[in-house]
Amino acid sequence: MSEEKRKKGIKPGQRRTWFKCVKAILKLFIKKPRFVFLGEEFVDCCLVLSNHVGASAPLTLECHFPKPFRFWGTYEMNSSLKEVYKYLSEIYFHQKKHWKLFWSKLFCIIAAPVAYLFYRGLTLISTYRDHRFRNTLKESLKTIEAGASLVIFPEDSSNGYFNTITGFFSGFVTLAHICYKQGYDLPIYLSYLRKKDKVYIVDKPIRYSELMESGLDKYQIAEELRQKCNALGEMEIPAEAAQ
């Protein structure tokens, strides 16, 4: 089924009724962390960047993000059940989570069908590393134009998920630039989930125009924000900022 057909009848950022029921159950197990805002709280039509922490950050934001939004997710997650099984067993659990391949493939016999349905409930925007990335940008712009936000995990997790992020992909900078040219100077919220403390630290938002005025190219911007994201994870939380 195409991405367009899956979204038919659903406004960007909204979830189907059946998936809202699933979320209600998830919230029994995924408790809301303590959000710490170093600036203003989330506004409508913004771009949120976060570390990944495996599935922890996506599930936390899906359950507790206060605004309509959509995730970016690798295209395999929006593919057939066979492709979802291959992605989970060979990439997510084996390559990124470092499970033994045998156990990963065995576990995903059960996990893949569940994840397949769950991914469809998320209405993910598919991401690519080739010319099809244009489709990602087009769908993302439509989401912004409809007033919803975007959540992106730019972390390079090829070798796993680590407390200190080793790399940021720069696709989000390209998106922000295209939105800017269309009249949307997106507020960008950099955030870090510190799972052990059950704290989600959110930096004060920065407009894309401010990043553009710095004179840095997209790779340098991504690197600068990567360093800031790591700094969020290491900072002491000001008492007056906690909530």
Side-chain angles (χ1 to χ4, degrees), residues 77-205:
M77 298 163 74
N78 271 341
S79 299
S80 66
L81 176 58
K82 180 180 178 180
E83 287 298 315
V84 170
Y85 173 82
K86 183 177 180 181
Y87 168 74
L88 289 177
S89 61
E90 298 180 9
I91 298 177
Y92 181 75
F93 285 108
H94 177 57
Q95 182 178 320
K96 298 188 177 188
K97 301 286 284 186
H98 308 299
W99 287 26
K100 295 291 186 182
L101 186 58
F102 172 80
W103 294 113
S104 177
K105 286 183 174 292
L106 185 63
F107 176 74
C108 286
I109 292 174
I110 297 173
V114 176
Y116 175 80
L117 292 175
F118 189 78
Y119 291 156
R120 270 132 194 81
L122 290 174
T123 65
L124 298 167
I125 296 176
S126 298
T127 61
Y128 306 88
R129 295 191 183 183
D130 55 26
H131 67 278
R132 293 173 294 175
F133 185 59
R134 288 177 295 183
N135 298 329
T136 305
L137 298 173
K138 182 179 178 180
E139 189 63 35
S140 299
L141 180 58
K142 286 182 180 179
T143 300
I144 293 296
E145 290 174 337
S149 297
L150 292 168
V151 173
I152 297 175
F153 303 96
E155 176 181 353
D156 182 356
S157 58
S158 302
N159 296 315
Y161 303 103
F162 305 100
N163 291 333
T164 300
I165 300 169
T166 59
F168 257 19
F169 292 116
S170 61
F172 70 90
V173 185
T174 302
L175 169 65
H177 184 70
I178 287 177
C179 289
Y180 181 76
K181 290 196 296 184
Q182 295 299 317
Y184 300 95
D185 189 7
L186 295 180
I188 301 174
Y189 290 82
L190 191 63
S191 60
Y192 189 101
L193 174 61
R194 206 152 67 192
K195 186 177 178 181
K196 65 177 182 179
D197 299 329
K198 299 180 181 179
V199 170
Y200 224 131
I201 306 170
V202 184
D203 203 356
K204 59 183 179 181

Side-chain angles (χ1 to χ4, degrees), residues 228-242:
K228 288 185 176 181
C229 192
N230 282 331
L232 289 178
E234 297 171 357
M235 73 176 295
E236 286 192 26
I237 301 171
E240 64 275 13

